[in-house]
Amino acid sequence: MRRPGSLESMAETEVQRARDRAGVTRRLLLELRPFVRPLVAALGFVTISAVGQSVAPWLVGHAIDHDIAHGDGRALAITMTVLLLVYVASAFSQRAQSRLIGGTGQRVLANLRVRLFSQLQALPISYFDTRPLGDLMSRLQGDVDTLNQLFAQGLTQLLGQLLALVGILVAMLVLDWKLALASFTIIPVMLGVTAFFAARARAAYRKTRETTGKVSADLQEGIVGIREAQAFNRTAENLARFRERNAANRDANVSATGITSAFSPAIDVLSTVGTALVIGFGGWLMLNGELSLGTLVAFLIYVQQFFRPVQLAASVYTLAQSALAGSERLFAVLDAQVEVKDAAGATVLGQVEGRLTFEHVSFAYDATRPVLSDVSFEAPAGSMVALVGRTGAGKTTIANLVPRFYEVTQGRVLLDGHDLTTVTRSSLRAQLALVPQEPFLFSTSLAENIAYGRPDATREQVEGAARTVGLHDFIVTLPKGYDTVLGEGGGLLSQGQRQLVAFARAVLADPRVLILDEATANIDTRTEALIQKALSTLLAGRTSLVIAHRLSTIRSATLILVVDGGRIVERGTHDELLAKGGRYAELHGQQFADGPAAQRVRAST
Amino acid sequence: MAPPEPARDRRPDPRSRQAVLRAVKYLGQHRLDTAGALISLLLVAAANLAAPQVVRVAVDRGLAVRDWSVVELAVAGLLAIAVVRGLLTFLQGFLAERASQGVAFDLRDGLYARIQKLSFSYYDQAQTGNLLTRLTNDVEQVRTFVGSGVVQLAASLAMLLGTIVVLVRINAVLALAALGTVVPIFFVLRRFVKRVGPLFGQVQQSLGKLNTQLQESLQGLKVVRAFRGEARELAAYSAINDTLRDQNLESIKAISNSFPFVNLFANLGTVAVVGVGGVQIFRDQLTLGELVAFNSSMAFLLMPLISIGFLAAQISRAGASAVRVFELLDTPLELTDAPNARVLPPLQGKVEFRDVVFRYAGAEAPILKGISFTIEPGQTVALLGATGSGKSTIINLIPRFYDVTSGAVLVDGQDVRELTLASLRSQVGIVLQEALLFSGTVKSNIAWGRPDATLEQVKAAAVAAQAAGFIEALPQGYDTLIGEKGVGLSGGQRQRLAIARALLTDPRLLILDDSTSAVDAETERAIQRALDALMRDTKKTAFVIAQRLSTVRDADLILLLDQGRIVAQGTHAELTATSSLYNEILGTQLKGEGGAP
Ligand SMILES: Nc1ncnc2c1ncn2[C@@H]1O[C@H](COP(=O)(O)OP(=O)(O)OP(=O)(O)O)[C@@H](O)[C@H]1O
Ligand SMILES: Nc1ncnc2c1ncn2[C@@H]1O[C@H](COP(=O)(O)OP(=O)(O)OP(=O)(O)O)[C@@H](O)[C@H]1O
Ligand SMILES: [Mg+2]
């Protein structure tokens, strides 16, 4: 538990400055807008406890000087009662204040988190292409966390302490300005010492952060890549490398500690110097009859009290800088352009027939490198259109344009004659279902995974979808059946079974247009044939867009498009294309090189 | 709105206490540092207690009787004490931290060694996030407690006792008055610990869940969008977020119900001391200096109490963490070298399965139900069978990723369980079905199993795997950085890197688990031709799993698998002549009467 104001808490937050500090501050304050009332109330309580904190030592001094020195028991009783009341009032206002401010901070944060999350759900897919997930996650977490620290430690503690500091300084000046000024000479020294240590500590902590990052990366790979490590017999090497990094991390931490552990003793020495100063100079004043003993005692209390707020102020300053920088990045996420808004007057797409048209479509992920050029084709309602071609030809990219994961650069994509940009995204996607190249399974139950696109589906419907893809018989052999909770990434299922789950999900969504991107690559051909048979009745009249490397998968397509270098270079049915003897025939030849064995099979079946 | 009432356990978990003790024992490895810290700390406590005494002398013998020389002496004394105390405080902090970093190193080292040795079956159930938390957060919790916690606890106790002694010696009556306020402080802190201890744990848990939810919704981005799950993802996230907020508000409440009142009672001590002390001064039972010194020393009563309160809250957290750390550290290794394990001499390449039955841990029925076959050195074997029929399971038994339930797997006539894992695995090259690449360069990925390989060797492997072409087209060629899971490469490209990686280790036995599923036919044929040449030349044994007929057709032996049994085996020619199932599979590929939609 790091105490606020400790050197560690100062040094661990990387000093980062927001580029537009004023702007970010203004926006942060706007976030606080709904909480004006509790905050104003909190300010009131802060004032009360600050006044209390600065008045109390004065009362103690008064008791010693006047009541005790004059042997006045009644006056002492009165002073003590007042002191008691002051303390009680301070305690309750401290309680109220920390609830109001802390509570507001947590509410603002909770609010911000939800807004960030829904923003992330709305950002275009291309936003994530350039930002590795790990980075994005750790940055979001880190930035929200610095804000949390600012709210939790900074604001709650600092505000009160700072006001108290002002009160203390004023009280000291009022009590005896000479001794007060003498005592204040410690403050710049202390700030200087703090800055000195903080700078050194920051450098040291940069090193620890680096080594810690390496240790975490190693851990992550060590766990995620464990199967490869054991398969390639690399565990001993991994351990040696980890040991090295672990040791470097330890050493960096120890040397950082060397600096941080010197800090608090240094401050301690200073605080004693302060006490000595008060006793020395105050004593001299007293011997000259310019100061009473009670005032001296009050000063001794004050001097010890003003060290903490000064230290705190220094640390909160650093914290606030980082929080501003963090907020700037968070605001940048919140401000990022979300998926192009549905056009004004975008219509809700009703039930469609499923006629899919690409009209002179060109597309580039980044402007410098066109990926698709002038792609045109039409898939009549109920047809099966297949995309074939080499790795990297642009097949997945074509498929990505249909659910509008990306927006076309030129040309139009139409469904039943509606330009996709003129309909709402949600109504468009309701008509589609997609089985992506790499199946993604949630770590929920099998039933929930299958019903992801249709959460209100009954168990019968879920089972129906599983039956269609030939998964039902397997699922019922599992001890918990459909309620089996899948591990990370699908665990305990074979690779093909994972694809089948994703397939069942698409089937259950009951789409008008089905997009299959290598949906059966890991599935054996016999199972695939069974699926196709089942699908043919189920999806009768629906359009499908199928990508496959295995040509047997798409042989019966209504239309086969051969994609090469982002263009459609050949089109036609299987027989037409074979007869043509072009690129498709070549691909086909490679896969089914009619060796004698294959000839025999044909003859025998 | 009301957060679920945490199940509060009144009695501390005995497991947690044992784990904390065991963690503390790790300090034994760092005896000198620990002892140094403890000694420094006791001296610091003494110095702390001495300082107010000097103030008292200054007031009573100096200021009160206007003796300037005593004041001077006292000031010098104060400064001297401060410097000594400063040095000791530094030593104490530094040594304690060094000891705790040593403990963290030892714990992590042990944990990492363990996770490298745990078997595939452990990882089938494990969650990456959970394991990572144990190695990072949990170790850090334990470290903080073992380092500063233990030392601080000792320090606080010493301080507390010392202060009480000093206070009693100055004035017993005042001491009683001061200690009177300690009792309520103790109760306030105890309540705080009881309330906040479990709450901290819950906050930690909610944070974990929140992050998992965020991660999954971003990993599955396209699925979420395509199936319009955004609103549901948001609802799930919001629910966790609300819980977290409520837990945080709860902690704030607990803190605000405690610390202001701790301060209040401490301040009441001042009221009592000045009040009672005043009366005593009236009666000449106390000097002003003593009153002042007493008042200063009272602060030393409060500090250790608050520390102990915080530490007690920390112990429950550290305890939970220590339990998790040791749980992982004590996980039994299922797969280890047998006591008299032999080193496998250079492999000829004969592989035999003898009536192998295999059941996954936690599963009810066996997946492999009596598999027997023999492969001669230099043969290429294809495994064919439906999804889920057990192909990957079979090949996972050869490098002994799992142990058979009954029966035996033999290489060159020796049971794999009687060989050392290292000598076995170093001679088997495997491309897993879900090949993982590491963050690093293309070169370091290919050379992953053989880090000392030269660039020429790396290139040769890439050429054989048909990867050289696309690698050379990358911006920095073999030095191009690729991310975790090979971000930036298409599926087919990743698979080819994985093949190159396996080829580079120059294995005597090569296993390819559906390694070309994402590669187009043309490229696949080229890979195959290159492999064939490699295999035949060096007489390597190869296992190939593939769905495409073209891949398996030329194998020396085809094993046809159905529901965990081998239903047919032979060459392509033999199987077409004898196996109806094989012909059926061929039919689906060659004739394509799939009757697609
Ligand atoms: N998110 C992206 N950002 C930038 N470029 C991309 C992105 N996704 C793909 N590309 C590039 O676009 C081209 C086409 O990729 P696409 O994924 O459409 O190929 P594909 O034909 O589906 O290949 P595969 O058979 O391997 O799936 C490739 O050169 C690829 O590198
Ligand atoms: N770790 C595991 N725990 C429990 N069951 C498992 C585990 N891994 C696989 N299984 C089950 O064992 C059976 C065989 O799986 P295996 O991965 O060997 O199939 P496969 O033949 O390789 O299939 P595919 O062609 O889809 O890769 C499947 O039913 C699968 O669900
Ligand atoms: Mg498999």
Side-chain angles (χ1 to χ4, degrees):
Chain A
M1 219 169 296
R2 278 235 137 118
R3 293 274 175 83
S6 71
L7 190 63
E8 287 92 334
S9 77
M10 262 183 263
E12 273 185 354
T13 42
E14 178 130 38
V15 205
Q16 303 154 321
R17 279 179 211 292
R19 246 166 284 148
D20 174 19
R21 264 188 280 178
V24 177
T25 314
R26 216 172 305 126
R27 271 188 82 169
L28 263 184
L29 288 178
L30 275 184
E31 297 283 324
L32 294 176
R33 192 98 171 252
F35 302 95
V36 167
R37 275 217 229 145
L39 286 178
V40 168
L43 217 59
F45 287 115
V46 168
T47 317
I48 295 177
S49 63
V51 168
Q53 231 176 322
S54 37
V55 165
W58 179 81
L59 283 172
V60 173
H62 182 84
I64 292 177
D65 271 353
H66 297 266
D67 310 340
I68 298 180
H70 300 160
D72 187 344
R74 231 180 74 88
L76 180 62
I78 292 175
T79 312
M80 287 299 104
T81 313
V82 174
L83 186 61
L84 185 77
L85 290 178
V86 168
Y87 281 144
V88 171
S90 310
F92 277 96
S93 48
Q94 267 170 31
R95 174 173 179 270
Q97 150 211 340
S98 85
R99 276 185 192 205
L100 287 170
I101 299 182
T104 302
Q106 288 309 323
R107 291 196 173 90
V108 169
L109 274 180
N111 203 321
L112 195 62
R113 270 197 227 106
V114 167
R115 267 169 42 215
L116 276 170
F117 187 85
S118 61
Q119 172 75 2
L120 288 173
Q121 298 297 314
L123 286 170
I125 304 236
S126 57
Y127 184 88
F128 300 92
D129 285 346
T130 48
R131 293 171 178 81
L133 183 57
D135 273 12
L136 193 67
M137 289 270 305
S138 69
R139 241 189 45 194
L140 285 177
Q141 279 163 27
D143 290 341
V144 171
D145 193 54
T146 52
L147 260 184
N148 185 18
Q149 279 182 26
L150 182 69
F151 285 134
Q153 317 185 337
L155 292 186
T156 3
Q157 310 217 11
L158 181 80
L159 226 57
Q161 297 267 8
L162 276 188
L163 273 178
L165 179 64
V166 173
I168 289 169
L169 297 184
V170 169
M172 287 170 84
L173 282 170
V174 169
L175 274 178
D176 188 286
W177 66 270
K178 271 191 252 168
L179 188 53
L181 287 185
S183 314
F184 293 168
T185 55
I186 289 291
I187 295 180
V189 178
M190 216 187 75
L191 287 179
V193 169
T194 307
F196 172 84
F197 275 103
R200 241 135 266 252
R202 223 167 270 137
Y205 270 100
R206 196 168 308 130
K207 189 90 201 278
T208 54
R209 261 196 307 274
E210 262 171 45
T211 53
T212 307
K214 281 194 186 141
V215 166
S216 318
D218 234 29
L219 284 176
Q220 170 101 26
E221 281 206 355
I223 295 171
V224 177
I226 186 68
R227 287 166 204 266
E228 266 77 9
Q230 296 194 352
F232 284 84
N233 208 18
R234 246 190 77 129
T235 51
E237 248 157 328
N238 279 358
L239 183 58
R241 189 178 72 167
F242 178 75
R243 194 166 277 162
E244 203 176 283
R245 294 187 167 182
N246 194 12
N249 182 235
R250 175 196 57 199
D251 297 342
N253 269 308
V254 169
S255 57
T257 306
I259 295 163
T260 50
S261 351
F263 178 64
S264 94
I267 292 294
D268 190 38
V269 170
L270 273 182
S271 127
T272 315
V273 170
T275 309
L277 195 80
V278 169
I279 294 184
F281 186 60
W284 183 74
L285 287 176
M286 207 183 117
L287 292 181
N288 289 343
E290 289 179 43
L291 192 76
S292 68
L293 182 59
T295 312
L296 188 63
V297 172
F299 257 88
L300 284 177
I301 300 182
Y302 281 134
V303 166
Q304 290 189 346
Q305 281 192 354
F306 79 49
F307 276 91
R308 212 175 132 61
V310 172
Q311 251 176 279
L312 252 182
S315 104
V316 171
Y317 177 75
T318 331
L319 201 59
Q321 292 300 332
S322 304
L324 283 184
S327 314
E328 190 167 49
R329 281 192 298 262
L330 293 181
F331 288 139
V333 174
L334 284 178
D335 293 344
Q337 185 67 51
V338 297
E339 275 189 300
V340 182
K341 283 254 163 48
D342 291 327
T347 52
V348 172
L349 188 62
Q351 179 84 346
V352 295
E353 295 285 314
R355 182 162 47 91
L356 180 67
T357 318
F358 272 57
E359 269 179 13
H360 305 289
V361 170
S362 295
F363 175 78
Y365 288 102
D366 57 79
T368 54
R369 206 163 54 104
V371 172
L372 297 182
S373 353
D374 195 26
V375 171
S376 297
F377 66 86
E378 170 155 329
S383 65
M384 171 187 180
V385 172
L387 297 171
V388 299
R390 284 209 205 188
T391 302
K395 306 178 294 292
T396 302
T397 308
I398 293 179
N400 275 340
L401 295 179
V402 181
R404 278 177 74 194
F405 285 156
Y406 299 89
E407 301 291 330
V408 296
T409 319
Q410 259 176 47
R412 298 198 298 170
V413 181
L414 306 121
L415 191 55
D416 275 14
H418 302 281
D419 185 339
L420 295 190
T421 53
T422 64
V423 300
T424 62
R425 235 186 223 91
S426 168
S427 66
L428 165 66
R429 289 178 185 165
Q431 309 280 330
L432 312 172
L434 166 86
V435 184
Q437 202 163 12
E438 276 165 33
F440 180 82
L441 302 188
F442 297 89
S443 54
T444 51
S445 71
L446 267 170
E448 283 170 280
N449 263 292
I450 295 176
Y452 190 81
R454 218 170 125 191
D456 56 349
T458 63
R459 185 50 65 92
E460 282 68 43
Q461 291 170 317
V462 171
E463 284 180 14
R467 260 197 204 100
T468 308
V469 302
L471 201 56
H472 177 75
D473 292 340
F474 163 71
I475 295 179
V476 292
T477 64
L478 295 171
K480 292 211 186 104
Y482 282 86
D483 296 317
T484 307
V485 173
L486 298 178
E488 240 168 40
L492 107 167
L493 293 182
S494 86
Q495 200 65 28
Q497 288 164 342
R498 285 175 216 178
Q499 281 193 328
L500 291 178
V501 173
F503 211 134
R505 182 191 286 157
V507 167
L508 184 58
D510 191 21
R512 299 299 308 167
V513 178
L514 181 64
I515 302 168
L516 305 175
D517 190 353
E518 299 268 10
T520 51
N522 289 111
I523 297 170
D524 65 292
T525 45
R526 215 160 52 104
T527 308
E528 187 188 25
L530 292 176
I531 295 175
Q532 290 194 341
K533 204 163 269 165
L535 275 180
S536 64
T537 42
L538 196 89
L539 295 184
R542 288 160 218 236
T543 312
S544 56
L545 192 61
V546 179
I547 300 174
H549 282 307
R550 205 157 61 200
L551 298 185
S552 59
T553 307
I554 48 117
R555 184 172 319 205
S556 57
T558 331
L559 174 66
I560 296 174
L561 305 172
V562 182
V563 186
D564 199 20
R567 291 174 187 279
I568 295 179
V569 292
E570 267 175 46
R571 61 182 78 207
T573 64
H574 173 72
D575 292 333
E576 287 166 14
L577 290 176
L578 271 193
K580 196 167 161 192
R583 187 93 186 83
Y584 182 82
E586 197 181 313
L587 278 173
H588 187 266
Q590 275 149 352
Q591 211 166 110
F592 301 100
D594 280 354
Q599 300 278 11
R600 217 168 351 163
V601 177
R602 286 199 170 171
S604 71
T605 44
Chain B
M1 169 77 201
E5 196 55 23
R8 253 173 288 159
D9 196 357
R10 295 262 150 206
R11 287 163 301 123
D13 181 3
R15 271 208 323 164
S16 147
R17 201 176 326 139
Q18 274 167 15
V20 168
L21 278 182
R22 190 165 154 197
V24 170
K25 282 198 194 122
Y26 270 71
L27 281 173
Q29 296 290 321
H30 310 273
R31 240 170 262 128
L32 281 182
D33 283 350
T34 311
L38 275 173
I39 292 170
S40 316
L41 184 133
L42 290 176
L43 294 176
V44 169
N48 274 337
L49 294 173
Q53 297 302 318
V54 178
V55 175
R56 176 179 64 96
V57 171
V59 173
D60 275 352
R61 308 242 178 91
L63 296 174
V65 296
R66 304 191 167 261
D67 184 344
W68 180 240
S69 63
V70 174
V71 175
E72 272 178 351
L73 258 181
V75 168
L78 267 184
L79 288 177
I81 288 179
V83 171
V84 172
R85 183 172 60 180
L87 278 177
L88 290 170
T89 313
F90 167 74
L91 268 185
Q92 176 250 306
F94 181 70
L95 293 177
E97 186 76 11
R98 195 159 76 177
S100 81
Q101 289 292 347
V103 170
F105 175 87
D106 296 342
L107 283 175
R108 272 201 197 107
D109 196 57
L111 286 173
Y112 192 86
R114 177 74 24 171
I115 61 172
Q116 288 291 306
K117 285 195 196 116
L118 286 168
S119 65
F120 276 33
S121 7
Y122 181 83
Y123 286 98
D124 286 343
Q125 322 273 337
Q127 282 197 314
T128 313
N130 183 311
L131 286 176
L132 267 177
T133 311
R134 293 186 199 213
L135 274 135
T136 52
N137 270 355
D138 285 336
V139 168
E140 185 61 16
Q141 290 289 340
V142 173
R143 180 192 77 78
T144 330
F145 176 73
V146 164
S148 40
V150 169
V151 172
Q152 266 181 31
L153 198 63
S156 303
L157 288 175
M159 237 356 234
L160 199 60
L161 286 178
T163 310
I164 293 176
V165 170
V166 169
L167 291 182
V168 169
R169 288 206 33 207
I170 298 180
N171 187 303
V173 179
L174 278 188
L176 216 63
L179 285 178
T181 64
V182 168
V183 178
I185 292 181
F186 178 77
F187 280 107
V188 171
L189 285 177
R190 211 177 69 150
R191 211 189 46 176
F192 169 71
V193 168
K194 282 237 174 85
R195 183 80 199 85
V196 152
L199 220 82
F200 279 158
Q202 289 163 15
V203 166
Q204 231 35 49
Q205 253 180 11
S206 300
L207 264 179
K209 277 195 210 150
L210 200 69
N211 289 336
T212 312
Q213 170 66 24
L214 176 61
Q215 173 148 3
E216 228 175 51
S217 74
L218 293 185
Q219 265 173 355
L221 193 68
K222 281 192 183 164
V223 174
V224 172
R225 299 270 167 107
F227 292 94
R228 297 182 306 144
E230 294 100 324
R232 270 175 290 139
E233 297 298 322
L234 181 61
Y237 184 85
S238 291
I240 307 171
N241 191 37
D242 285 350
T243 312
L244 175 67
R245 182 197 57 208
D246 293 342
Q247 284 163 348
N248 273 327
L249 291 179
E250 256 326 84
S251 331
I252 289 177
K253 240 190 221 164
I255 291 174
S256 73
N257 271 339
S258 311
F259 287 89
F261 297 100
V262 169
N263 280 330
L264 175 63
F265 287 119
N267 286 331
L268 289 188
T270 308
V271 174
V273 166
V274 175
V276 176
V279 174
Q280 282 198 320
I281 291 179
F282 297 160
R283 297 187 189 148
D284 282 331
Q285 287 164 336
L286 187 77
T287 65
L288 252 183
E290 279 171 344
L291 183 61
V292 173
F294 197 96
N295 213 13
S296 321
S297 296
M298 289 237 321
F300 295 121
L301 210 55
L302 185 63
M303 268 173 7
L305 269 178
I306 293 187
S307 292
I308 292 175
F310 259 103
L311 285 173
Q314 229 183 59
I315 286 189
S316 63
R317 265 216 288 184
S321 288
V323 167
R324 283 193 294 267
V325 165
F326 290 123
E327 194 177 70
L328 178 54
L329 213 49
D330 296 342
T331 311
L333 295 178
E334 294 156 34
L335 275 169
T336 45
D337 288 343
N340 49 354
R342 288 188 302 272
V343 171
L344 177 66
L347 193 66
Q348 298 303 306
K350 184 173 169 185
V351 176
E352 187 183 352
F353 272 55
R354 258 189 217 154
D355 203 19
V356 168
V357 174
F358 178 78
R359 188 168 56 81
Y360 280 104
E364 279 177 348
I367 297 295
L368 302 182
K369 302 158 184 154
I371 299 280
S372 300
F373 61 83
T374 308
I375 316 292
E376 296 305 329
Q379 280 190 326
T380 295
V381 185
L383 279 172
L384 208 60
T387 280
S389 57
K391 305 180 293 292
S392 301
T393 308
I394 288 187
I395 55 115
N396 276 335
L397 296 177
I398 300 172
R400 204 179 159 216
F401 291 144
Y402 299 90
D403 267 339
V404 296
T405 310
S406 74
V409 175
L410 301 96
V411 292
D412 282 2
Q414 311 187 55
D415 191 321
V416 289
R417 284 168 295 188
E418 289 162 10
L419 301 170
T420 63
L421 283 173
S423 68
L424 172 66
R425 289 178 182 169
S426 62
Q427 301 193 52
V428 178
I430 186 163
V431 181
L432 295 172
Q433 195 166 13
E434 226 187 341
L436 180 82
L437 299 179
F438 295 90
S439 40
T441 60
V442 169
K443 173 172 184 285
S444 73
N445 264 287
I446 297 179
W448 199 73
R450 204 175 137 193
D452 56 345
T454 64
L455 185 58
E456 278 60 48
Q457 290 168 320
V458 168
K459 280 185 177 164
V463 168
Q466 304 302 309
F470 85 83
I471 294 174
E472 272 145 27
L474 290 172
Q476 275 101 36
Y478 285 84
D479 293 322
T480 309
L481 282 173
I482 54 181
E484 205 185 291
K485 296 214 163 185
V487 179
L489 297 178
S490 86
Q493 293 169 332
R494 282 205 297 259
Q495 285 189 334
R496 280 178 277 166
L497 285 189
I499 295 175
R501 175 170 71 190
L503 290 180
L504 185 61
T505 60
D506 195 20
R508 304 291 313 156
L509 180 62
L510 181 67
I511 301 174
L512 302 175
D513 189 353
D514 215 355
S515 306
T516 50
S517 63
V519 176
D520 55 286
E522 190 179 341
T523 313
E524 192 198 7
R525 245 176 103 73
I527 295 179
Q528 247 198 313
R529 242 178 266 124
L531 283 184
D532 274 353
L534 215 70
M535 295 289 154
R536 297 263 136 73
D537 289 354
T538 51
K539 295 215 68 162
K540 281 180 180 144
T541 308
F543 274 83
V544 180
I545 298 179
Q547 312 290 1
R548 273 181 243 168
L549 163 72
S550 51
T551 318
V552 299
R553 197 177 38 206
D554 299 328
D556 298 311
L557 178 66
I558 298 171
L559 301 174
L560 191 57
L561 211 64
D562 192 30
Q563 307 205 359
R565 287 179 215 280
I566 293 179
V567 291
Q569 51 179 307
T571 62
H572 177 74
E574 286 162 12
L575 288 180
T576 39
T578 57
S579 167
S580 60
L581 180 61
Y582 188 71
N583 279 312
E584 203 184 319
I585 295 172
L586 289 189
T588 57
Q589 297 208 14
L590 288 177
K591 303 212 313 174
E593 22 173 62

